[in-house]
Amino acid sequence: MNTKHLISMNYPASWWRSLWREALPSGNGRIGAAVYGGVHEETVLLNHEDLWWGGVTMPLPDVSDRLAEVRRLLNEGQAPEADKVLSDALKDHGYQPKLASPLPLGDLKIFMPLRRAFRSYKRTLQMETGEVSVSWTDGDTRYERRLFVSRAADAVVMDIRKWGPHSIEARLRMQLHDKRDVRRSGIVFPEGEEMKSTGDTIYYAAQHPDGSDFGGGARVIHQGGHTDYGQEGFTVKNAESMLVVIKLFTGGNRQAEWRRLDEELSGLPMCYDSLLSAHVLEHGRLFQAMEFDIAAVGRELSNEELLMQAYQGETPDALIEKMWAYGRYLLISSSRAEGQPCHLYGLWFGDYDAVWSFHMVNENLQMMYWQALSGNMTELLLAVFNYMEKLMDDFRVNARQLYGCRGIFIPAPSVPGSGLLKHTSPHIIHWTGGAGWVSQHYYDYYLHTGDLVFLRERALPFMREVALFYEDFFTMDDDGYWMSSPSNSPENTPGNYWKGPGMSMGTTMNATMDFAIAKELLTHLIEGAQITGMYLEDISTWRQMLERIPPYQLTEDGAVREWMHPYYEENDHHRHESHVYPVFPGTEVTRESDPILYKAFVKSIEKRLGLGLKEQSGWSLAHMANNYARMGQGDSALECLETLARSCVMNNLITLHNDWRGMGIGVDMDWAPVQLDANMGWTSAIQEMLLFSIPGELHILPALPARWRKGKAGPLLARGGVECTLEWDVSEERLDIVLRSTQGCKPIDLLLPEAAVGLRDSSDKFELKLRQVAISEAPLHLSVILRRVRLEG
């Protein structure tokens, strides 16, 4: 068994009244199953990407006539008065929408009696296959339950097996999820719960508040023994083994849906190994598309043991490796090209009112997908694009009704089914950068894949809509530069308005991030238009807009200002790092392109962590690790991940928004919401340490931490369509690089890491000409040994 990709635990889920948080997750991008790990009473929480509830959608009133007042108040220095104008206008129109929340579909309950007190307990997740296992010994018989969610069969598959003289006895139920998993009063639970058993199948359904049904069917196959039926469930006694295959539905009439599921179940092979083999082909293709190996010791240790080491100081390399793989596993398991994008809980949510369970595009959604392109999982990003394009009409309504603009306005939070503004807080209304930031993913997808059809038919049309919004929204100042008003630097309050944690007033003018996003968008639009021959008539307008974007401004101590307007003072006591966008996640400013400005951005990040540790969160520590990696500071990036491991990682390695134990790291809250963005940001940060790219230029191991003396990684996918596989050994002074072009013949500049300064000045470049035939048949190999470079193939 590959222990590098094995998560093992010596304890079951134990977070009282919220056990789902410490369950082990399995998923196929559409269905999620979370295994609690109880020996006698097992719970498998079942979720589906299409099951949401509680949302209220209303026509968005036209409040664009109040924009002039907002701008007047801001120009007069009355930001607090301007802050609530649009928000109050919406309330005056009776606008009271509500974001929907994901609804837990139900629980599979398994009751297995004990003859003796259990021994030798183990709960594991094998990330290469997505299998969750719970095993224990009862007297002289060993039992194991295995479960995965099939990507091929779109079903939850579980078997129960044993070794020893005693047989298997198990009672199974399907029911509504545990109603104790709520955090506020007044929840009206789904009604019409029903479970019945016929033949070898358990049927379950409940009624959605809109009157439609949801539920599932479970086919139970057992070797030996017999079955009993009753109100308490489906019981198998004296069996040698059991197989359970579950199909789910999220809408419709239960009787019709049960008949449909029956047909689907009848078409599946009732064999665990056969179903697993078909699933692993698809799951493994994605998971194994890249590897990361730093020759860690202690891979066989449990999560609990590895985390205890992290709490004492240095995070063990085995945990570093597992967390990289886990972020990858979670994205694969909760995302697929034709499905919904992964939200902050993925497919494993047990609260009936889960906090922040939406798609948040002022940071979080982007962070979850940062890893996808460089990690060779490009197809997963298609879920994001499909989601956005389905909601374009609503995004146009937002732009028109809020600001009187053409184009699109994407609110920071949204959920499936409606893209209208649902969260009416000022810092949400006044942040206009969401669509522009999503545009970065569109263009980055093209840069990594070279897909010209995608560029023509999807990326450029989407990006042009964003440009139309900016064209109407930006106004001119007295010096001929654009003004962005109202503005918000997510989700920060300027220093002269900040009165400590919990206080927010983020309505401003000219947030640096606004212009960084707009500059990137317009630059990419011009480039894409020239490549495709589309929108050529718009290029002159976009160039003029670029010329009117004000230059970045510096503070007295040499850091980049977060607001490019004198009314607003810096505030580094915050978790967001928005003003560093031109360095990361953007690529506008690099050490080579503008060394002086680059140093100012580095200074900004150093100030943020130095002053604001108590204001951080799990995801912001992951974001900061990505920033430090992009800035070539591998040891600082690793330190951020180690801080994250000590503060916001649970025993199942799921990340949380904040520490809940009073340890002094991160914001104080009365709850610690699950947020998978930190898991996935961890994976992205490691990939940033290994490779940075812009078209035609590869930076090899740009931020390798000093203690990673030996390792291998890849293939990473670079901008420009180059796969890069690396293997290094510092003690042997050896770096092996394998490059393969995915898009034909092209020249590139290769920048070696600082570890190879004996070869040449690390800022120098040397050109490699990638030959199309040679690369397709025999990838280009390079070995860097002291002062020699050897090319093979």
Side-chain angles (χ1 to χ4, degrees), residues 150 152-157 219 243 245-247 261-271 275:
S150 172
D154 201 33
V156 180
V157 182
R219 183 71 48 85
L243 174 71
V245 183
I246 304 171
K247 287 273 191 173
L261 296 188
D262 267 343
E263 293 178 4
E264 293 182 8
L265 287 167
S266 297
L268 296 178
M270 289 295 131
C271 171
L275 290 166

PDB file of all heavy atoms in Angstrom, residues 150 152-157 219 243 245-247 261-271 275:
ATOM      1  N   SER A 150     -18.330   6.043  -6.811  1.00  0.00           N
ATOM      2  CA  SER A 150     -17.877   5.701  -8.150  1.00  0.00           C
ATOM      3  C   SER A 150     -18.070   6.847  -9.140  1.00  0.00           C
ATOM      4  O   SER A 150     -19.179   7.357  -9.310  1.00  0.00           O
ATOM      5  CB  SER A 150     -18.630   4.467  -8.671  1.00  0.00           C
ATOM      6  OG  SER A 150     -18.320   4.237 -10.029  1.00  0.00           O
ATOM      7  N   ALA A 152     -17.522   6.326 -12.289  1.00  0.00           N
ATOM      8  CA  ALA A 152     -18.048   5.654 -13.479  1.00  0.00           C
ATOM      9  C   ALA A 152     -19.520   5.304 -13.336  1.00  0.00           C
ATOM     10  O   ALA A 152     -20.311   5.475 -14.271  1.00  0.00           O
ATOM     11  CB  ALA A 152     -17.235   4.388 -13.762  1.00  0.00           C
ATOM     12  N   ALA A 153     -19.926   4.807 -12.173  1.00  0.00           N
ATOM     13  CA  ALA A 153     -21.302   4.346 -11.964  1.00  0.00           C
ATOM     14  C   ALA A 153     -22.192   5.379 -11.300  1.00  0.00           C
ATOM     15  O   ALA A 153     -23.393   5.159 -11.172  1.00  0.00           O
ATOM     16  CB  ALA A 153     -21.301   3.066 -11.122  1.00  0.00           C
ATOM     17  N   ASP A 154     -21.615   6.498 -10.852  1.00  0.00           N
ATOM     18  CA  ASP A 154     -22.363   7.548 -10.154  1.00  0.00           C
ATOM     19  C   ASP A 154     -23.138   6.964  -8.977  1.00  0.00           C
ATOM     20  O   ASP A 154     -24.337   7.179  -8.816  1.00  0.00           O
ATOM     21  CB  ASP A 154     -23.312   8.269 -11.111  1.00  0.00           C
ATOM     22  CG  ASP A 154     -23.716   9.644 -10.597  1.00  0.00           C
ATOM     23  OD1 ASP A 154     -22.884  10.281  -9.930  1.00  0.00           O
ATOM     24  OD2 ASP A 154     -24.856  10.077 -10.849  1.00  0.00           O
ATOM     25  N   ALA A 155     -22.434   6.210  -8.157  1.00  0.00           N
ATOM     26  CA  ALA A 155     -23.066   5.516  -7.032  1.00  0.00           C
ATOM     27  C   ALA A 155     -22.093   5.432  -5.870  1.00  0.00           C
ATOM     28  O   ALA A 155     -20.869   5.463  -6.053  1.00  0.00           O
ATOM     29  CB  ALA A 155     -23.501   4.112  -7.451  1.00  0.00           C
ATOM     30  N   VAL A 156     -22.653   5.322  -4.670  1.00  0.00           N
ATOM     31  CA  VAL A 156     -21.870   5.038  -3.468  1.00  0.00           C
ATOM     32  C   VAL A 156     -21.800   3.522  -3.322  1.00  0.00           C
ATOM     33  O   VAL A 156     -22.821   2.835  -3.388  1.00  0.00           O
ATOM     34  CB  VAL A 156     -22.520   5.663  -2.224  1.00  0.00           C
ATOM     35  CG1 VAL A 156     -21.688   5.362  -0.977  1.00  0.00           C
ATOM     36  CG2 VAL A 156     -22.704   7.169  -2.403  1.00  0.00           C
ATOM     37  N   VAL A 157     -20.589   3.019  -3.138  1.00  0.00           N
ATOM     38  CA  VAL A 157     -20.374   1.569  -3.079  1.00  0.00           C
ATOM     39  C   VAL A 157     -19.692   1.229  -1.758  1.00  0.00           C
ATOM     40  O   VAL A 157     -18.658   1.827  -1.421  1.00  0.00           O
ATOM     41  CB  VAL A 157     -19.512   1.083  -4.255  1.00  0.00           C
ATOM     42  CG1 VAL A 157     -19.343  -0.430  -4.204  1.00  0.00           C
ATOM     43  CG2 VAL A 157     -20.125   1.517  -5.592  1.00  0.00           C
ATOM     44  N   ARG A 219     -29.168  -0.985  -2.919  1.00  0.00           N
ATOM     45  CA  ARG A 219     -29.243  -2.405  -3.209  1.00  0.00           C
ATOM     46  C   ARG A 219     -28.275  -3.133  -2.270  1.00  0.00           C
ATOM     47  O   ARG A 219     -27.092  -2.785  -2.203  1.00  0.00           O
ATOM     48  CB  ARG A 219     -28.879  -2.649  -4.677  1.00  0.00           C
ATOM     49  CG  ARG A 219     -28.968  -4.087  -5.170  1.00  0.00           C
ATOM     50  CD  ARG A 219     -30.390  -4.601  -5.295  1.00  0.00           C
ATOM     51  NE  ARG A 219     -31.305  -3.719  -5.984  1.00  0.00           N
ATOM     52  CZ  ARG A 219     -31.477  -3.651  -7.307  1.00  0.00           C
ATOM     53  NH1 ARG A 219     -30.756  -4.427  -8.099  1.00  0.00           N
ATOM     54  NH2 ARG A 219     -32.369  -2.844  -7.836  1.00  0.00           N
ATOM     55  N   LEU A 243     -22.467  -6.363   0.277  1.00  0.00           N
ATOM     56  CA  LEU A 243     -22.223  -5.270  -0.676  1.00  0.00           C
ATOM     57  C   LEU A 243     -23.443  -4.363  -0.670  1.00  0.00           C
ATOM     58  O   LEU A 243     -24.585  -4.842  -0.742  1.00  0.00           O
ATOM     59  CB  LEU A 243     -21.988  -5.817  -2.084  1.00  0.00           C
ATOM     60  CG  LEU A 243     -21.854  -4.769  -3.201  1.00  0.00           C
ATOM     61  CD1 LEU A 243     -20.530  -4.016  -3.083  1.00  0.00           C
ATOM     62  CD2 LEU A 243     -21.971  -5.421  -4.579  1.00  0.00           C
ATOM     63  N   VAL A 245     -24.870  -0.860  -2.667  1.00  0.00           N
ATOM     64  CA  VAL A 245     -24.692   0.091  -3.765  1.00  0.00           C
ATOM     65  C   VAL A 245     -25.851   1.081  -3.711  1.00  0.00           C
ATOM     66  O   VAL A 245     -27.028   0.672  -3.747  1.00  0.00           O
ATOM     67  CB  VAL A 245     -24.633  -0.605  -5.133  1.00  0.00           C
ATOM     68  CG1 VAL A 245     -24.372   0.414  -6.237  1.00  0.00           C
ATOM     69  CG2 VAL A 245     -23.557  -1.690  -5.140  1.00  0.00           C
ATOM     70  N   ILE A 246     -25.536   2.372  -3.630  1.00  0.00           N
ATOM     71  CA  ILE A 246     -26.542   3.404  -3.390  1.00  0.00           C
ATOM     72  C   ILE A 246     -26.586   4.381  -4.559  1.00  0.00           C
ATOM     73  O   ILE A 246     -25.550   4.890  -5.001  1.00  0.00           O
ATOM     74  CB  ILE A 246     -26.233   4.187  -2.097  1.00  0.00           C
ATOM     75  CG1 ILE A 246     -26.110   3.227  -0.912  1.00  0.00           C
ATOM     76  CG2 ILE A 246     -27.296   5.241  -1.836  1.00  0.00           C
ATOM     77  CD1 ILE A 246     -25.592   3.890   0.346  1.00  0.00           C
ATOM     78  N   LYS A 247     -27.765   4.661  -5.038  1.00  0.00           N
ATOM     79  CA  LYS A 247     -28.029   5.704  -6.020  1.00  0.00           C
ATOM     80  C   LYS A 247     -28.899   6.783  -5.370  1.00  0.00           C
ATOM     81  O   LYS A 247     -29.752   6.480  -4.525  1.00  0.00           O
ATOM     82  CB  LYS A 247     -28.754   5.127  -7.236  1.00  0.00           C
ATOM     83  CG  LYS A 247     -27.891   4.277  -8.150  1.00  0.00           C
ATOM     84  CD  LYS A 247     -27.207   5.175  -9.170  1.00  0.00           C
ATOM     85  CE  LYS A 247     -26.533   4.397 -10.271  1.00  0.00           C
ATOM     86  NZ  LYS A 247     -26.026   5.283 -11.339  1.00  0.00           N
ATOM     87  N   LEU A 261     -34.099   4.516 -10.342  1.00  0.00           N
ATOM     88  CA  LEU A 261     -32.902   4.029  -9.656  1.00  0.00           C
ATOM     89  C   LEU A 261     -32.823   2.514  -9.700  1.00  0.00           C
ATOM     90  O   LEU A 261     -31.731   1.940  -9.813  1.00  0.00           O
ATOM     91  CB  LEU A 261     -32.882   4.527  -8.208  1.00  0.00           C
ATOM     92  CG  LEU A 261     -32.778   6.042  -7.989  1.00  0.00           C
ATOM     93  CD1 LEU A 261     -32.575   6.347  -6.513  1.00  0.00           C
ATOM     94  CD2 LEU A 261     -31.672   6.655  -8.811  1.00  0.00           C
ATOM     95  N   ASP A 262     -33.967   1.848  -9.587  1.00  0.00           N
ATOM     96  CA  ASP A 262     -33.992   0.385  -9.706  1.00  0.00           C
ATOM     97  C   ASP A 262     -33.376  -0.061 -11.026  1.00  0.00           C
ATOM     98  O   ASP A 262     -32.566  -1.002 -11.077  1.00  0.00           O
ATOM     99  CB  ASP A 262     -35.438  -0.125  -9.625  1.00  0.00           C
ATOM    100  CG  ASP A 262     -35.833  -0.511  -8.206  1.00  0.00           C
ATOM    101  OD1 ASP A 262     -34.925  -0.691  -7.366  1.00  0.00           O
ATOM    102  OD2 ASP A 262     -37.043  -0.617  -7.951  1.00  0.00           O
ATOM    103  N   GLU A 263     -33.779   0.596 -12.111  1.00  0.00           N
ATOM    104  CA  GLU A 263     -33.244   0.230 -13.423  1.00  0.00           C
ATOM    105  C   GLU A 263     -31.740   0.475 -13.488  1.00  0.00           C
ATOM    106  O   GLU A 263     -30.994  -0.337 -14.046  1.00  0.00           O
ATOM    107  CB  GLU A 263     -33.957   1.039 -14.509  1.00  0.00           C
ATOM    108  CG  GLU A 263     -35.425   0.690 -14.678  1.00  0.00           C
ATOM    109  CD  GLU A 263     -36.096   1.546 -15.732  1.00  0.00           C
ATOM    110  OE1 GLU A 263     -35.393   2.366 -16.377  1.00  0.00           O
ATOM    111  OE2 GLU A 263     -37.325   1.412 -15.918  1.00  0.00           O
ATOM    112  N   GLU A 264     -31.295   1.604 -12.928  1.00  0.00           N
ATOM    113  CA  GLU A 264     -29.869   1.908 -12.962  1.00  0.00           C
ATOM    114  C   GLU A 264     -29.076   0.915 -12.121  1.00  0.00           C
ATOM    115  O   GLU A 264     -27.996   0.460 -12.528  1.00  0.00           O
ATOM    116  CB  GLU A 264     -29.620   3.340 -12.476  1.00  0.00           C
ATOM    117  CG  GLU A 264     -30.170   4.401 -13.418  1.00  0.00           C
ATOM    118  CD  GLU A 264     -29.874   5.804 -12.946  1.00  0.00           C
ATOM    119  OE1 GLU A 264     -29.107   5.954 -11.956  1.00  0.00           O
ATOM    120  OE2 GLU A 264     -30.377   6.767 -13.546  1.00  0.00           O
ATOM    121  N   LEU A 265     -29.584   0.572 -10.958  1.00  0.00           N
ATOM    122  CA  LEU A 265     -28.898  -0.392 -10.104  1.00  0.00           C
ATOM    123  C   LEU A 265     -28.854  -1.766 -10.766  1.00  0.00           C
ATOM    124  O   LEU A 265     -27.847  -2.487 -10.650  1.00  0.00           O
ATOM    125  CB  LEU A 265     -29.587  -0.476  -8.746  1.00  0.00           C
ATOM    126  CG  LEU A 265     -29.382   0.731  -7.815  1.00  0.00           C
ATOM    127  CD1 LEU A 265     -30.358   0.683  -6.644  1.00  0.00           C
ATOM    128  CD2 LEU A 265     -27.949   0.783  -7.293  1.00  0.00           C
ATOM    129  N   SER A 266     -29.922  -2.117 -11.471  1.00  0.00           N
ATOM    130  CA  SER A 266     -29.950  -3.425 -12.130  1.00  0.00           C
ATOM    131  C   SER A 266     -28.919  -3.529 -13.238  1.00  0.00           C
ATOM    132  O   SER A 266     -28.487  -4.630 -13.602  1.00  0.00           O
ATOM    133  CB  SER A 266     -31.349  -3.686 -12.709  1.00  0.00           C
ATOM    134  OG  SER A 266     -32.308  -3.744 -11.667  1.00  0.00           O
ATOM    135  N   GLY A 267     -28.510  -2.398 -13.781  1.00  0.00           N
ATOM    136  CA  GLY A 267     -27.525  -2.406 -14.847  1.00  0.00           C
ATOM    137  C   GLY A 267     -26.093  -2.409 -14.381  1.00  0.00           C
ATOM    138  O   GLY A 267     -25.165  -2.419 -15.210  1.00  0.00           O
ATOM    139  N   LEU A 268     -25.863  -2.398 -13.066  1.00  0.00           N
ATOM    140  CA  LEU A 268     -24.503  -2.366 -12.529  1.00  0.00           C
ATOM    141  C   LEU A 268     -24.058  -3.759 -12.100  1.00  0.00           C
ATOM    142  O   LEU A 268     -24.868  -4.546 -11.605  1.00  0.00           O
ATOM    143  CB  LEU A 268     -24.435  -1.427 -11.315  1.00  0.00           C
ATOM    144  CG  LEU A 268     -24.707   0.052 -11.570  1.00  0.00           C
ATOM    145  CD1 LEU A 268     -24.651   0.822 -10.253  1.00  0.00           C
ATOM    146  CD2 LEU A 268     -23.701   0.646 -12.558  1.00  0.00           C
ATOM    147  N   PRO A 269     -22.775  -4.057 -12.245  1.00  0.00           N
ATOM    148  CA  PRO A 269     -22.274  -5.326 -11.705  1.00  0.00           C
ATOM    149  C   PRO A 269     -22.257  -5.265 -10.185  1.00  0.00           C
ATOM    150  O   PRO A 269     -21.682  -4.348  -9.608  1.00  0.00           O
ATOM    151  CB  PRO A 269     -20.858  -5.409 -12.286  1.00  0.00           C
ATOM    152  CG  PRO A 269     -20.458  -3.994 -12.532  1.00  0.00           C
ATOM    153  CD  PRO A 269     -21.708  -3.273 -12.911  1.00  0.00           C
ATOM    154  N   MET A 270     -22.879  -6.197  -9.537  1.00  0.00           N
ATOM    155  CA  MET A 270     -22.919  -6.204  -8.076  1.00  0.00           C
ATOM    156  C   MET A 270     -21.661  -6.872  -7.532  1.00  0.00           C
ATOM    157  O   MET A 270     -21.704  -7.928  -6.873  1.00  0.00           O
ATOM    158  CB  MET A 270     -24.186  -6.906  -7.591  1.00  0.00           C
ATOM    159  CG  MET A 270     -25.442  -6.099  -7.836  1.00  0.00           C
ATOM    160  SD  MET A 270     -25.471  -4.548  -6.858  1.00  0.00           S
ATOM    161  CE  MET A 270     -25.893  -3.351  -8.102  1.00  0.00           C
ATOM    162  N   CYS A 271     -20.533  -6.218  -7.826  1.00  0.00           N
ATOM    163  CA  CYS A 271     -19.221  -6.717  -7.417  1.00  0.00           C
ATOM    164  C   CYS A 271     -18.356  -5.526  -7.041  1.00  0.00           C
ATOM    165  O   CYS A 271     -18.115  -4.636  -7.872  1.00  0.00           O
ATOM    166  CB  CYS A 271     -18.581  -7.518  -8.555  1.00  0.00           C
ATOM    167  SG  CYS A 271     -16.848  -7.962  -8.243  1.00  0.00           S
ATOM    168  N   LEU A 275     -16.666  -2.690  -9.697  1.00  0.00           N
ATOM    169  CA  LEU A 275     -17.066  -1.292  -9.625  1.00  0.00           C
ATOM    170  C   LEU A 275     -15.877  -0.403  -9.276  1.00  0.00           C
ATOM    171  O   LEU A 275     -15.723   0.698  -9.817  1.00  0.00           O
ATOM    172  CB  LEU A 275     -18.176  -1.126  -8.592  1.00  0.00           C
ATOM    173  CG  LEU A 275     -19.537  -1.729  -8.973  1.00  0.00           C
ATOM    174  CD1 LEU A 275     -20.445  -1.815  -7.760  1.00  0.00           C
ATOM    175  CD2 LEU A 275     -20.200  -0.903 -10.083  1.00  0.00           C
TER     176      LEU A 275
END
